[in-house]
Amino acid sequence: MEVSELDKYGICDGISEIILTSGMKNPNAAPIGLIRKDNRVFIRLYRGSTTYENVKQDEVFAANVTCDPLLFIKSTFSNLEDEDFKYHPLNSKSIPLLKNSATSVIFICDEIKHTKQAMTAEIIPMGAVANDYLPRAINRGLTAVIEAAVHATRYKLTGNNEFLDLIDRCLETTYKCGGQREKDAAEILLNEIDEIKKHVDGGKDTE
């Protein structure tokens, strides 16, 4: 499969926010930014995550393209249910995909490099599955709640209250522009932030 074919599956130049599924026996899902540049594709995964351990071991995963905000938020802060996954065969292996993704592209890792903090790899597309080619207009509520989730993970890592202010601004846009699923995702995110605050010194209310 050529890198140029990724356009058909929603992975274009720049950084595409996808949900990475990995783990042959115990599937795991987590949002990451997949980097496509100069007809090459890369990932960077940080140590300490299940995704890192799975990809390090198997050197294969699926990039799932979806506009479902609930899948992004749930996979950021918790494990999805077994029924959220399906499996696709590749070279005698079974790769977990998200059942409800619009498309899924299976990648294998090449030129893997490890540092103390992370691993980086050029990734090669091996196959793809398309479940839904229906177009969807950009919704600012969706992009804002995903951005808020990114800020929430940074707040969890650093305890820096500036991220709480950024989250507030993002969710203002979500509640103004989003549909019901975007708003439901925002509520789940706020509940997760309340839990994070219990473990972060100096946290403040987001209300």
Side-chain angles (χ1 to χ4, degrees), residues 17-131:
E17 299 298 329
I18 57 92
I19 298 178
L20 187 154
T21 48
S22 60
M24 305 296 182
K25 296 180 180 179
N26 297 303
N28 178 73
I32 70 158
L34 188 151
I35 305 161
R36 179 178 168 190
K37 183 179 181 181
D38 299 330
N39 210 37
R40 301 170 71 188
V41 193
F42 305 88
I43 56 167
R44 179 182 294 108
L45 302 175
Y46 291 93
R47 290 180 182 270
S49 68
T50 302
T51 298
Y52 174 93
E53 295 299 333
N54 284 347
V55 175
K56 178 183 177 183
Q57 175 177 305
D58 299 328
E59 298 185 358
V60 64
F61 65 88
N64 301 273
V65 176
T66 179
C67 288
D68 188 336
L70 291 176
L71 281 176
F72 271 101
I73 299 303
K74 289 179 179 179
S75 60
T76 298
F77 296 102
S78 62
N79 294 324
L80 298 182
E81 302 296 331
D82 287 343
E83 55 263 31
D84 292 320
F85 299 92
K86 64 180 180 180
Y87 288 86
H88 186 80
L90 178 71
N91 300 334
S92 75
K93 297 180 180 180
S94 293
I95 313 302
L97 315 179
L98 288 185
K99 282 183 181 178
N100 294 327
S101 62
T103 66
S104 301
V105 180
I106 297 171
F107 290 91
I108 61 170
C109 297
D110 190 28
E111 297 186 16
I112 300 171
K113 298 179 181 179
H114 293 276
T115 68
K116 291 182 179 179
Q117 293 80 29
M119 67 172 282
T120 59
E122 182 172 358
I123 54 176
I124 310 300
M126 299 297 294
V129 176
N131 300 315

Side-chain angles (χ1 to χ4, degrees), residues 5 7-10 102-103 129-136:
E5 296 180 66
D7 289 341
K8 296 188 296 184
Y9 300 96
T103 66
V129 176
N131 300 315
D132 182 9
Y133 271 132
L134 291 175
R136 177 174 175 176

Side-chain angles (χ1 to χ4, degrees), residues 173-189:
T173 300
T174 295
Y175 284 113
K176 179 180 178 181
C177 302
Q180 191 57 53
R181 289 187 75 79
E182 285 77 23
K183 294 173 184 177
D184 289 345
E187 290 298 317
I188 294 173
L189 177 58

